[in-house]
Amino acid sequence: MTAQETVEHKYVYDFAEGNKDLKDLLGGKGANLAEMTNLGLPVPPGFTITTEACKAYLATGAEPAGLAEQIANHLASLERAMGRRLGDPDDPLLVSVRSGAKFSMPGMMETVLNVGLNDRSVVGLAAQAGGNERFAWDSYRRLIQMFGKTVCDVPGEEFEHALDEAKHARGTTDDLDLDAGDLRELVDAYKKIFSKHTGRDFPQEPREQLDLAVRAVFDSWNAERAVVYRRQERIPADLGTAVNVVAMVFGNLGADSGTGVAFTRDPASGAQGIYGDYLANAQGEDVVAGIRNTVPLQELERIDKKSYDELLDYMARLERHYRDLCDIEFTIERGKLWMLQTRVGKRTAAAAFVIAGQLVDEGLIDLDEALHRVNGAQLAQLMFPRFQLDHEFQPVATGIGASPGAAVGKVVFTSARAVELAAEGEAVILVRRETNPDDLNGMIAARGILTSRGGKTSHAAVVARGMGKTCVSGADELTIDVPKRRFMVAGQTVGEGDVVSIDGTTGKVYLGEVPVSPSEVVRYFEGEVDPEATDDALVKAVHRIMSYADASRRLAVRTNADTAADAARARRFGAEGIGLCRTEHMFLGDRRELVERLILARDPAERDEALAALLPLQRADFVEIFREMDGLPVTVRLIDPPLHEFLPPLEQLAVNVAVAQERGEDVAKEEALLAAVRRMHEENPMLGLRGVRLGLVIPGLFAMQVRAITEAAVECARQGIRSCPEIMVPLVGAVQELETVRAEAERIIAEVVGGSEVDVLIGTMIEVPRAALTAGQIAEAAEFFSFGTNDLTQMGWGFSRDDVEGAFFWRYLELGIFGISPFESIDADGIGRLVRIATEEGRAARPGLKIGVCGEHGGDPDSVHFFHSVGLDYVSCSPFRVPVARLEAGRATVVTTGSDSR
C-alpha cells in the first residue's frame, strides 16, 4: 500500500454518512447516532472515528497516517455547522468524546465531556449562557476531573475529596448549593491535583485536549474492566472501539435543562408504558453514575410538557423503526430536546420473553424472530427460585428493583472482598453507595448487588441486568460506611459477613436469610399453572414461545435420569425419553454391601451369588423408570466406573484396619476389602479398568444388567406399559469389544423376550477418540451412537476434569486460550470435529443410524446449535435443563433457516 493510499483510507465519518447497519465500522453508538440523524431526529452534530482507526492505533501504538488530517477536516465542518470554533475564547464550541463499540459495554470504556474548555473559554461559555458563571465553572471542573481520571490516570478519589471539602465548607451535601465562586476555587484545587500527579499543567490547547481524549478512548478498549467484561459477555477482543465526537449540549444550565434515560418498555418486566429517569440541571453522567437520585420519567410531563410530548413521539418512532425495546439518552437544553443516543436496550430474561410476544402481537416481528430474540440462558434465569415471604420477614429498606431475582448472601463492601469470599464458596451481596466500572469483578462474583444511590439506569442496574444478576439500587434508607465495613438502616447496624436478602423485582431489602420458592415458570413446566387461564404475562409468553420452539425444532430432547422421580420430572419438563440412565448410581446406598460381595468373591459361585442378589433390585429400578417413560426410549448405560469407586478410599481403609488391629478387633473383612482395593488400585483409573473393559473382565456383570433390563421390559409389556430400552455399552474403543458384548447380550435378550413384543436396541457411547475415528467400523455392530462428550473432551484434550478446572483453567480463560471451558460448551473445532467425523462415517456405514449426545453439553445453548448443525437426532441433559435444550433446538432451526434477526 502506498503512502497516498494510506492517507486516503477513510477513518472518519460524519453522522449523516452512516447508518445502523455499520456497527462493525462505526460502533453501536456511532451507527445509531447516524440512524437517528437520517430519521430527522434532533441529534447534536458530530462525527465518528472508526473501529479500524482504533485497531490500527492499538497495533502500532501510533495513530494511522491521515487520521489527524481527517479529524481536522471534520472538526472544521462541525465548527461551520455550529457557527463556533473549538475552544474559542469568546464563543466556544465544546465537544464530548465518547467510546462506542459494536456491542454495548456500559461504563466499561471512557467518555470525556466539555472538551475545549480552558482558562479563557470558560469566560466565553459563561457569556454564551447569559452570564451564568456557575454553569461555566461547573462545566470546567467536570472537564478537569474527567480528563484527569480518564486521560492521565489521576486518582478519581482525590477529585471527589476536593468536592466533598468544598461542600463541607459551604455547609451542604448537594453539589447544586455550590456557587460560581465555590466552583472557581474548586477548579483551582482540581488543577493542583492534576499537576501533582502528571507533572504538568492542565492542557489549555483545545485540539491537544481532543487528541489526547481520542487516544484515551482507544486505550480504554484494553483497560482491565473492559477486558473482564468482554470475557464475561463473550465479546471478541479484536473488534476495537469507535470514538464519537459530538457537539456538547448542556443539561446543567438551570431548571429548564436536564438529562435523562428512557426505555420504550420496562426493561425489567417488559410491561408497556413510560419508563426511565430524569434529573434536572444535570449532565448525563450524573444519571448513569447514580450520584444524585433521579425522578421517574413521568415527572418530566409536569416539569416540561413540550419536551415530554416530543420525547414520547421520538420513542414511539424509534421503537417502530428498530422493532424492539429502545434505550434512549437525551438532554434538554433550555427547553430544547436533544437525542444523544439510542440502542436496542438490555433487558431482563423476563422482559425478553414478554416483549418478544408483544412485538409479535403488534405485527412488528414474526414468531421466527421472537424465537431468535430469546435464549436458553435467559430461560434458565427464569427458572431460579424466588422469595417465600410471610409475616416474619419485613423489609428494612426499599429501593428500586433494577434487575429481578432473589439473592441471599453475606454482606461485603468491596469488590476485592466479594471475589475473595466467592472463591471460598460463599454467597455474597456486594453493597456500595454506587458501583463504578472498577467493581466489575465483584459484581461478577456476587449473587446480588445493593446500592444506596442510582436508579434503573445506573451503572449497577445496567450491568446487573446484562449479567442476569439480582440488583436493588437507590435504597437511600441505607447509610453506608465503607471504611468501617457496615451500613445502618432502620436503627440497626449491618456489618460485613451479616446475611441479607434482596428482591430485585420489588426492590425490598431484608435482614437475614429469606426462604425461597420455585418460580412461576418452573410451576408452569411442572404443569401446576395453566398458561391459558393464568394472568401472568411471563408464563403466557414462555408458553407461546416454547410451543413454537417445539413445533420448529428438528432435534429431539431427552434427559439424563437415574431414578423414576427424575424421569417423571423430566417428562413434565418436556423430555422425549431418557438419553442416559447411569446404572452405577443404582449400586449405591444399601446396595453397596452387595457390590463388596461381588468384589470379594473368592470363586465363580460367590460371584454369581452376588450378581443374583443384584438382579431383582436392578430389574425393579428399570420397571419404575420404564413405567414413567411409557412409550418413550430409555438408553441404559451399562456400568461404567471402576468397581473400587464403590469401596472406601484406600487411605481410609488402611487407617481403619490399623486402628482395629490396635484394639484387638476382628479385622478379617476389612483386611479382605483393603487387599481388594490395593489389588484394584490404579494410577489413572479414568483410563483403566472401567466401562466395556470391566464387563469383559468380570464374567456375568454385564449379563446380569442386560437380563435385568430385558426382564423389566417384558414385565412392563405384561402390564400394558410400552418400553423402548436401548442398551448402551460404555468406553468402547474398538469394534471387537462391542461385538463381544453384543453377542452375549443378544443371546440373553432372545432367551428372556421369547414371544413378547419387546424390542431392545444395542449401541455404544462414543467417548474415546479412537472410537470416533473408527466409527465406520463400530457402526456395523451398533444400532445407535451416543456421544459422551465429557469423557471425549477429557481424552481429546488430555485433561483430567477433576484436576484441571481448579488448577489452571482460570489462567487459560484469562489469557484467552479458552473463551469458555470446553467442559461447559463444546469445543467445536477439536472435539466437535471428532463428533462430526464419527457422525458422517457412522451413517455412511449404517444409513439411518440414530445418534445423540448425553454429556452435559446436551443442555448448553451453544452446544445444542452445534449438534443441530452436525445432524444429530437428539440431545440429552439433566431434567432442569430440558426446557433450555428444547428452546435452543428450536432456535437452532430458525437460525439455520435464516430468520430476520436484528
Side-chain angles (χ1 to χ4, degrees):
M1 182 179 290
T2 67
Q4 182 64 27
E5 288 172 328
T6 301
V7 169
E8 291 176 351
H9 189 93
K10 188 172 179 63
Y11 287 118
V12 185
Y13 286 71
D14 185 84
F15 289 164
E17 297 179 286
N19 61 65
K20 67 180 175 64
D21 297 322
L22 295 180
K23 289 185 174 66
D24 284 317
L25 183 66
L26 304 179
K29 187 173 296 181
N32 289 325
L33 283 168
E35 192 73 11
M36 288 197 295
T37 299
N38 295 336
L39 290 172
L41 272 56
V43 176
F47 54 88
T48 300
I49 303 168
T50 67
T51 57
E52 291 181 348
C54 175
K55 288 186 282 188
Y57 168 81
L58 293 176
T60 64
E63 293 181 357
L67 177 60
E69 181 182 348
Q70 291 181 41
I71 291 175
N73 292 337
H74 279 78
L75 178 60
S77 297
L78 176 59
E79 290 174 331
R80 287 193 294 272
M82 297 297 292
R84 297 170 178 163
R85 287 188 302 109
L86 182 69
D88 183 88
D90 301 317
D91 189 19
L93 167 68
L94 305 183
V95 297
S96 63
V97 180
R98 300 174 181 268
S99 62
K102 176 181 179 180
F103 299 105
S104 176
M105 297 172 58
M108 295 302 112
M109 293 180 294
E110 303 297 1
T111 292
V112 183
L113 305 180
N114 305 329
V115 170
L117 268 180
N118 56 29
D119 292 349
R120 293 188 300 162
S121 60
V122 68
V123 178
L125 182 63
Q128 244 181 48
N132 189 339
E133 291 191 5
R134 185 200 181 283
F135 154 73
W137 287 101
D138 184 46
S139 298
Y140 194 14
R141 71 94 182 168
R142 290 172 184 266
L143 169 64
I144 299 171
Q145 182 173 359
M146 297 182 77
F147 190 95
K149 182 180 177 182
T150 297
V151 179
C152 300
D153 295 323
V154 178
E157 300 79 19
E158 296 212 19
F159 293 121
E160 290 292 341
H161 181 66
L163 177 60
D164 287 341
E165 285 189 338
K167 289 189 288 187
H168 180 72
R170 174 59 66 179
T172 183
T173 59
D174 193 335
D175 300 3
L176 297 180
D177 290 332
L178 300 179
D179 62 21
D182 298 327
L183 291 167
R184 187 183 295 110
E185 292 177 5
L186 189 58
V187 164
D188 289 337
Y190 278 11
K191 284 182 181 178
K192 290 175 183 176
I193 293 169
F194 184 92
S195 298
K196 180 180 75 172
H197 285 278
T198 64
R200 60 164 293 181
D201 292 336
F202 183 76
Q204 297 293 304
E205 172 54 47
R207 180 60 196 267
E208 182 187 9
Q209 292 179 8
L210 176 60
D211 289 342
L212 290 174
V214 168
R215 290 186 182 186
V217 173
F218 284 162
D219 287 332
S220 70
W221 175 254
N222 285 329
E224 181 183 359
R225 64 178 184 245
V227 171
V228 171
Y229 186 86
R230 287 199 298 273
R231 190 180 302 130
Q232 172 79 10
E233 300 296 316
R234 303 190 201 177
I235 296 172
D238 60 353
L239 298 179
T241 181
V243 181
N244 300 287
V245 179
V246 190
M248 283 294 303
V249 291
F250 297 97
N252 57 336
L253 277 170
D256 61 350
S257 304
T259 189
V261 178
F263 296 94
T264 55
R265 300 173 195 240
D266 185 352
S269 70
Q272 294 171 290
I274 309 302
Y275 296 91
D277 300 314
Y278 182 71
L279 193 57
N281 197 15
Q283 286 194 304
E285 75 273 14
D286 295 337
V287 176
V288 175
I291 293 170
R292 287 162 53 199
N293 283 347
T294 58
V295 298
L297 185 61
Q298 291 91 330
E299 283 290 300
L300 181 59
E301 184 175 22
R302 178 185 58 79
I303 298 168
D304 183 349
K305 189 172 189 322
K306 174 178 172 292
S307 295
Y308 179 76
D309 290 342
E310 288 178 358
L311 178 63
L312 293 193
D313 177 57
Y314 298 152
M315 288 168 66
R317 287 175 61 185
L318 286 169
E319 183 170 89
R320 287 194 301 271
H321 184 71
Y322 281 88
R323 301 179 304 119
D324 208 343
L325 160 71
C326 289
D327 171 354
I328 297 161
E329 295 180 16
F330 66 93
T331 282
I332 298 172
E333 182 182 86
R334 289 181 168 168
K336 165 68 175 175
L337 174 65
W338 292 96
M339 304 293 282
L340 303 186
Q341 177 175 325
T342 191
R343 59 191 170 201
V344 170
K346 289 185 179 293
R347 67 209 69 186
T348 64
F353 278 85
V354 171
I355 291 171
Q358 290 170 346
L359 294 175
V360 171
D361 291 337
E362 293 166 27
L364 293 176
I365 63 174
D366 59 19
L367 276 167
D368 274 0
E369 177 66 9
L371 182 55
H372 186 68
R373 289 191 182 185
V374 298
N375 60 55
Q378 291 169 330
L379 181 60
Q381 287 179 30
L382 296 177
M383 296 172 71
F384 293 143
R386 57 191 174 86
F387 285 144
Q388 185 177 8
L389 295 168
D390 56 32
H391 66 280
E392 294 181 20
F393 294 96
Q394 298 299 321
V396 293
T398 301
I400 296 167
S403 185
V408 180
K410 293 182 176 180
V411 168
V412 295
F413 293 91
T414 66
S415 179
R417 186 62 174 156
V419 172
E420 180 184 344
L421 287 184
E424 296 173 2
E426 297 280 3
V428 299
I429 303 295
L430 179 62
V431 179
R432 306 283 284 159
R433 290 192 185 96
E434 68 271 340
T435 62
N436 62 62
D438 294 329
D439 288 317
L440 181 62
N441 281 324
M443 297 176 75
I444 293 172
R447 294 285 178 88
I449 299 103
L450 171 62
T451 70
S452 60
R453 299 176 183 171
K456 280 194 175 182
T457 53
S458 66
H459 175 268
V462 172
V463 175
R465 278 199 298 272
M467 292 181 182
K469 297 277 186 182
T470 299
C471 177
V472 173
S473 61
D476 53 14
E477 296 155 275
L478 274 61
T479 302
I480 298 174
D481 188 338
V482 174
K484 294 184 178 178
R485 301 194 176 193
R486 67 185 186 185
F487 69 80
M488 281 67 74
V489 63
Q492 301 184 65
T493 299
V494 180
E496 185 168 275
D498 291 339
V499 174
V500 298
S501 303
I502 61 173
D503 189 327
T505 302
T506 65
K508 296 187 185 300
V509 180
Y510 304 88
L511 300 186
E513 182 175 348
V514 178
V516 294
S517 59
S519 74
E520 285 299 293
V521 172
V522 170
R523 294 186 64 232
Y524 154 67
F525 285 128
E526 292 277 17
E528 298 171 7
V529 178
D530 182 352
E532 303 299 334
T534 184
D535 293 327
D536 191 310
L538 174 59
V539 169
K540 287 181 175 292
V542 169
H543 172 69
R544 182 181 193 180
I545 291 175
M546 290 299 297
S547 298
Y548 189 70
D550 286 336
S552 302
R553 63 185 166 90
R554 179 190 59 77
L555 276 173
V557 177
R558 299 192 193 181
T559 191
N560 301 341
D562 313 320
T563 67
D566 281 348
R569 184 173 209 197
R571 189 160 190 174
R572 292 195 298 273
F573 277 18
E576 298 159 300
I578 292 178
L580 176 62
C581 177
R582 291 159 287 213
T583 54
E584 58 269 13
H585 289 184
M586 302 171 181
F587 289 164
L588 302 176
D590 296 339
R591 303 179 190 180
R592 188 183 293 272
E593 183 180 348
L594 293 175
V595 179
E596 290 182 6
R597 286 170 54 190
L598 175 65
I599 295 170
L600 298 176
R602 291 168 293 186
D603 53 47
E606 288 188 1
R607 182 186 63 237
D608 292 344
E609 183 182 343
L611 290 171
L614 283 168
L615 175 63
L617 301 175
Q618 286 258 278
R619 181 173 60 235
D621 291 331
F622 296 132
V623 168
E624 289 184 17
I625 290 172
F626 293 160
R627 181 179 292 116
E628 293 294 347
M629 283 288 149
D630 187 5
L632 298 178
V634 176
T635 303
V636 181
R637 183 179 71 186
L638 302 181
I639 190 168
D640 183 34
L643 282 182
H644 77 259
E645 288 197 9
F646 300 98
L647 301 175
L650 176 62
E651 296 80 3
Q652 179 186 327
L653 270 176
V655 170
N656 291 347
V657 168
V659 170
Q661 287 175 335
E662 184 72 22
R663 293 173 178 170
E665 298 173 357
D666 181 10
V667 293
K669 180 180 178 183
E670 286 74 12
E671 285 180 333
L673 263 179
L674 179 59
V677 170
R678 282 177 172 157
R679 186 175 66 251
M680 295 178 179
H681 178 72
E682 297 173 298
E683 291 299 328
N684 193 341
M686 295 308 293
L687 298 179
L689 183 59
R690 54 173 287 221
V692 67
R693 304 159 193 171
L694 198 61
L696 295 175
V697 168
I698 300 183
L701 179 58
F702 275 8
M704 179 274 292
Q705 292 194 294
V706 170
R707 184 175 296 277
I709 293 166
T710 311
E711 288 180 355
V714 171
E715 182 175 330
C716 286
R718 293 195 193 103
Q719 298 174 17
I721 299 167
R722 181 169 164 262
S723 62
C724 307
E726 301 174 346
I727 294 174
M728 182 159 67
V729 182
L731 215 72
V732 165
V735 66
Q736 293 86 351
E737 294 172 313
L738 180 59
E739 288 172 339
T740 303
V741 173
R742 183 186 182 100
E744 182 179 28
E746 287 179 331
R747 177 184 58 77
I748 295 169
I749 292 168
E751 174 191 324
V752 173
V753 169
S756 302
E757 292 186 7
V758 171
D759 187 21
V760 182
L761 301 183
I762 300 174
T764 186
M765 287 186 85
I766 302 293
E767 52 191 331
V768 177
R770 188 182 189 280
L773 296 173
T774 60
Q777 298 174 23
I778 293 174
E780 294 176 1
E783 293 171 280
F784 66 88
F785 283 172
S786 180
F787 289 100
T789 51
N790 296 341
D791 270 335
L792 192 59
T793 298
Q794 287 200 100
M795 298 187 199
W797 275 93
F799 288 152
S800 169
R801 180 177 184 177
D802 293 337
D803 300 319
V804 298
E805 289 193 289
F808 63 81
F809 269 25
W810 61 272
R811 183 60 173 159
Y812 271 42
L813 291 166
E814 187 178 80
L815 294 172
I817 296 172
F818 294 152
I820 187 172
S821 164
F823 291 111
E824 186 177 338
S825 192
I826 192 76
D827 160 30
D829 295 334
I831 307 305
R833 189 174 179 205
L834 292 175
V835 172
R836 195 179 295 276
I837 289 170
T839 301
E840 292 172 353
E841 295 189 2
R843 285 186 173 149
R846 184 188 284 262
L849 179 70
K850 186 189 326 187
I851 305 178
V853 60
C854 59
E856 271 303 295
H857 290 110
D860 169 65
D862 289 342
S863 303
V864 170
H865 286 249
F866 172 78
F867 297 134
H868 170 90
S869 71
V870 171
L872 269 57
D873 295 301
Y874 68 86
V875 295
S876 186
C877 55
S878 61
F880 196 77
R881 301 185 84 179
V882 165
V884 172
R886 288 167 52 203
L887 178 68
E888 289 297 344
R891 294 185 71 241
T893 303
V894 168
V895 171
T896 301
T897 55
S899 73
D900 177 21
S901 61
R902 59 180 168 86

